[in-house]
Amino acid sequence: SLHLSYTYISNHMPEARNKDSMAKTTHIAVISIPAFSHQASIVEFSKRLVHLHRHFHVYCIFPTIDAPPPATLAMLESLPSNINYNFLPPVHKQDLSHDDAPSMVQIDLAVSQSMPSFRHMLGSLLSTTPLVALIADPFANEALEIAKEFNLLSYIYFPPSAMTLSLFLQLPALHELVSCEYRDNKEAIQLPGCVPIQGHDLPSHFQDRSNLAYKLILERCKRLSLANGFLVNSFSNIEEGTERALQEHNSSSVYLIGPIIQTGLSSESKGSECVGWLDKQSPNSVLYVSFGSGGTLSQQQLNELAFGLELSDKKFLWVLRAPSDSADGAYVVASKDDPLKFLPDGFLERTKGRGFVVTSWAPQTQILSHVSTGGFLTHCGWNSALESIVLGVPMVTWPLFAEQRMNAVLLTEGLKVALRPKFNENGVAEREEIAKVIKGLMVGEEGNEIRERIEKIKDAAADALKEDGSSRMALYQFGTQME
């Protein structure tokens, strides 16, 4: 396999500013990207930070495409008093030079266009507030350069896994080492301390080296060297080898401070309806099916999944979204179409009582924590994977875009808490394969072994967050460096 080792650049520590005015309160700014899953994660991180370090005050800054997502606005209603937020002036979707580009490219371009506004807002904030540090999403890391201009400490809050951080830090070297497309590379790629990964399982935006998405991510990965450290939404027990390798080969600090998952979102009426349905089912009998806040299937794949659920003869709760030819079609702008009209004829009638279909949104942590939920068919977004781990729910992995294939490898081959269906040469999972994997997870021997393993990891996740747990200690250590 192709082995990589870390090379990294250290950043100097700026001198402490305004020590007297900082004595009582430590002020930190954070910047996210216009994507709800990233915003939710960084807000939950901020809440945990100010809960542990009560003299901290956090200013959250959000770039925006057109308008803030309603889910973000709902989430921000219940912030503690020591977290403030501001939205930067919106970038209009039609003004993005590639408005038909994949959502991550649109988000990337919108963040770049928002940087002058961000510089202005940060300067205004600094005129009244003695900020000591800036924490940025990895996809908003131009902000690190602006932090240097203002002589602030700068950190990356990394919502995905430590394995993905390892890849991002390695990408400049990997780009030089591998001359072909990654999916055509014959050898497995061995990131330090990680499970080996095939080139075709690298993130979707790595898979065409000539396109804009890859050029943008390569630029972002090179810029990571500006950070003083990394706060990673993972925990030692599930990525111990990766954590050790990151710490051994980096001059910058790496803190595994997770699992950070979304909590406390108000349930909508349709949410309580599906939870009411779950209340009537027997323990561990229902497969929860959801592709996150942005994932979409093609019409052909939606049909195969529907027939696969029907063939499996297992109970299911499916969060259904209108189909799209883009796997991340709902990430920036969701379809206005009624998703139910895209289901195969007669599907709802044939599965009545055994299945419950809810459109577009459901209270995920409520569903995953429900006694009736026995499995989770997931797109492998890291937020969803962590929620499943924290709540002890075995998974069927169905990666769609971004780094989700890497997460699927970690969950199936590293942690062994999930099954992964096979996709045909056209990239479609067929109904018989889907039914087989669902049965294997819900009632098979392999499913029982997965259930035992994830119960142990669930306990380890809880331990990481205890007073003397690894993640809590890491966040404490980070906070004391700011004082």
Side-chain angles (χ1 to χ4, degrees):
S1 64
L2 187 63
H3 285 261
L4 291 163
S5 61
Y6 290 101
T7 53
Y8 205 66
I9 305 166
S10 178
N11 191 22
H12 72 279
M13 302 282 278
E15 293 173 19
R17 310 156 33 92
N18 302 343
K19 279 188 181 172
D20 292 337
S21 57
M22 281 169 51
K24 288 183 181 170
T25 305
T26 301
H27 299 272
I28 288 177
V30 307
I31 179 169
S32 188
I33 62 172
F36 174 71
S37 58
H38 283 242
Q39 292 170 349
S41 190
I42 210 163
V43 165
E44 288 299 330
F45 157 74
S46 300
K47 282 155 78 170
R48 191 172 292 179
L49 181 66
V50 300
H51 181 74
L52 184 61
H53 298 277
R54 293 185 184 275
H55 58 290
F56 273 44
H57 197 111
V58 176
Y59 302 85
C60 296
I61 298 169
F62 299 107
T64 309
I65 297 174
D66 288 339
T72 299
L73 294 172
M75 171 182 65
L76 295 173
E77 282 173 8
S78 56
L79 290 179
S81 59
N82 47 354
I83 300 178
N84 293 77
Y85 68 89
N86 275 101
F87 291 97
L88 294 174
V91 172
H92 297 293
K93 194 167 186 290
Q94 71 263 25
D95 295 339
L96 296 171
S97 52
H98 298 263
D99 65 349
D100 59 343
S103 62
M104 281 316 295
V105 170
Q106 291 182 42
I107 287 167
D108 213 307
L109 295 171
V111 168
S112 295
Q113 287 186 30
S114 297
M115 280 300 126
S117 304
F118 172 70
R119 179 185 278 104
H120 178 74
M121 186 175 282
L122 198 64
S124 298
L125 192 55
L126 276 160
S127 68
T128 59
T129 308
L131 289 176
V132 295
L134 172 74
I135 301 172
D137 186 279
F139 292 97
N141 67 15
E142 293 105 319
L144 300 178
E145 294 169 341
I146 295 169
K148 277 179 84 79
E149 288 174 29
F150 289 114
N151 201 31
L152 296 173
L153 288 165
S154 59
Y155 293 85
I156 292 289
Y157 172 68
F158 203 78
S161 65
M163 181 180 181
T164 306
L165 174 60
S166 180
L167 173 69
F168 278 28
L169 292 172
Q170 287 297 334
L171 185 62
L174 190 63
H175 178 75
E176 300 300 325
L177 204 57
V178 177
S179 54
C180 61
E181 293 291 356
Y182 296 116
R183 61 178 172 270
D184 299 327
N185 195 54
K186 297 287 186 278
E187 301 171 73
I189 293 161
Q190 181 65 69
L191 299 165
C194 299
V195 90
I197 187 160
Q198 299 299 325
H200 58 75
D201 279 329
L202 291 186
S204 52
H205 40 294
F206 286 41
Q207 295 300 346
D208 180 352
R209 290 161 66 122
S210 65
N211 73 12
L212 179 61
Y214 182 72
K215 288 169 183 162
L216 289 171
I217 193 72
L218 185 59
E219 274 176 33
R220 292 218 173 278
C221 291
K222 288 175 179 173
R223 210 181 281 121
L224 290 173
S225 61
L226 296 172
N228 292 103
F230 299 90
L231 298 140
V232 186
N233 187 13
S234 188
F235 58 104
S236 294
N237 189 273
I238 59 168
E239 297 201 89
E240 193 174 4
T242 310
E243 179 186 32
R244 196 180 310 115
L246 284 165
Q247 288 171 341
E248 281 173 7
H249 299 288
N250 263 311
S251 51
S252 295
S253 308
V254 178
Y255 306 93
L256 266 60
I257 53 157
I260 290 171
I261 63 171
Q262 218 178 306
T263 54
L265 274 189
S266 58
S267 299
E268 295 179 8
S269 56
K270 63 181 172 184
S272 55
E273 194 185 339
C274 69
V275 173
W277 180 81
L278 278 175
D279 290 340
K280 300 179 188 128
Q281 313 310 317
S282 50
N284 293 324
S285 66
V286 178
L287 177 74
Y288 171 55
V289 181
S290 175
F291 295 95
S293 58
T296 43
L297 304 178
S298 67
Q299 180 66 69
Q300 182 190 5
Q301 185 62 87
L302 190 151
N303 290 343
E304 290 299 312
L305 176 55
F307 287 125
L309 288 166
E310 193 177 335
L311 266 176
S312 75
D313 215 27
K314 299 295 154 219
K315 292 183 175 174
F316 63 88
L317 195 169
W318 184 4
V319 184
L320 180 68
R321 192 172 279 136
S324 167
D325 290 333
S326 166
D328 57 355
Y331 217 63
V332 176
V333 179
S335 168
K336 303 273 196 300
D337 291 326
D338 175 13
L340 295 175
K341 74 181 186 186
F342 298 98
L343 287 168
D345 287 344
F347 172 78
L348 291 173
E349 292 75 22
R350 292 192 303 272
T351 58
K352 195 168 184 180
R354 186 163 67 77
F356 191 101
V357 178
V358 56
T359 54
S360 301
W361 181 88
Q364 182 155 296
T365 49
Q366 232 182 316
I367 291 167
L368 289 173
S369 60
H370 200 285
V371 68
S372 297
T373 304
F376 181 15
L377 191 156
T378 172
H379 67 309
C380 302
W382 191 240
N383 285 348
S384 290
L386 283 180
E387 285 169 13
S388 215
I389 285 168
V390 166
L391 298 166
V393 182
M395 286 168 269
V396 172
T397 63
W398 192 304
L400 293 176
F401 60 94
E403 87 294 356
Q404 293 161 11
R405 285 176 179 269
M406 284 185 70
N407 295 341
V409 172
L410 178 57
L411 294 168
T412 54
E413 296 172 29
L415 300 175
K416 296 183 168 55
V417 293
L419 299 178
R420 187 173 181 180
K422 294 182 174 68
F423 289 71
N424 67 20
E425 63 279 3
N426 298 317
V428 173
E430 295 170 356
R431 60 193 76 177
E432 295 82 5
E433 172 69 8
I434 295 165
K436 183 182 90 173
V437 171
I438 290 171
K439 286 179 186 170
L441 188 79
M442 299 300 285
V443 294
E445 185 55 41
E446 197 173 6
N448 290 336
E449 290 168 7
I450 285 172
R451 201 160 272 107
E452 286 173 21
R453 274 193 289 272
I454 204 160
E455 274 299 320
K456 288 177 184 164
I457 295 175
K458 172 187 175 179
D459 293 342
D463 288 345
L465 298 178
K466 286 180 179 168
E467 196 158 336
D468 58 349
S470 59
S471 293
R472 189 178 166 96
M473 295 303 290
L475 190 57
Y476 179 78
Q477 187 187 354
F478 165 75
T480 54
Q481 287 199 341
M482 299 294 100
E483 294 164 5

